[in-house]
Amino acid sequence: CHTATIGDYTLEGHVPAADIRRLVAESPAAIGLSVPGMVSGSPGMGPESERDAYDVILIGTDGQATVFTAYPAA
């Protein structure tokens, strides 16, 4: 229920707007971004000041997953 497309990219999960802007600006060879799970403190999931640590994952066109941004617990 949290899937979107921006141009040729797919976003899955509670991806922060800053990461979406960075994705579009950098235009990497990728399928898109994902935030697996319903992480407390991610966008729309409670206060960021009390968030759990989570990673935004970049899914490359080759299917490889790498950390795009790591958010520490707050």
Side-chain angles (χ1 to χ4, degrees):
C1 66
H2 296 95
T3 303
T5 55
I6 305 276
D8 292 332
Y9 295 115
T10 299
L11 308 171
E12 178 63 36
H14 295 257
V15 179
D19 292 307
I20 298 168
R21 287 190 295 271
R22 179 178 157 209
L23 176 73
V24 171
E26 293 180 5
S27 298
I31 296 168
L33 297 175
S34 175
V35 174
M38 303 288 281
V39 183
S40 177
S42 64
M45 293 299 296
E48 187 174 337
S49 62
E50 299 175 20
R51 74 171 174 247
D52 292 339
Y54 69 96
D55 293 332
V56 177
I57 306 299
L58 177 74
I59 309 299
T61 54
D62 60 359
Q64 293 283 50
T66 60
V67 175
F68 189 71
T69 307
Y71 289 90

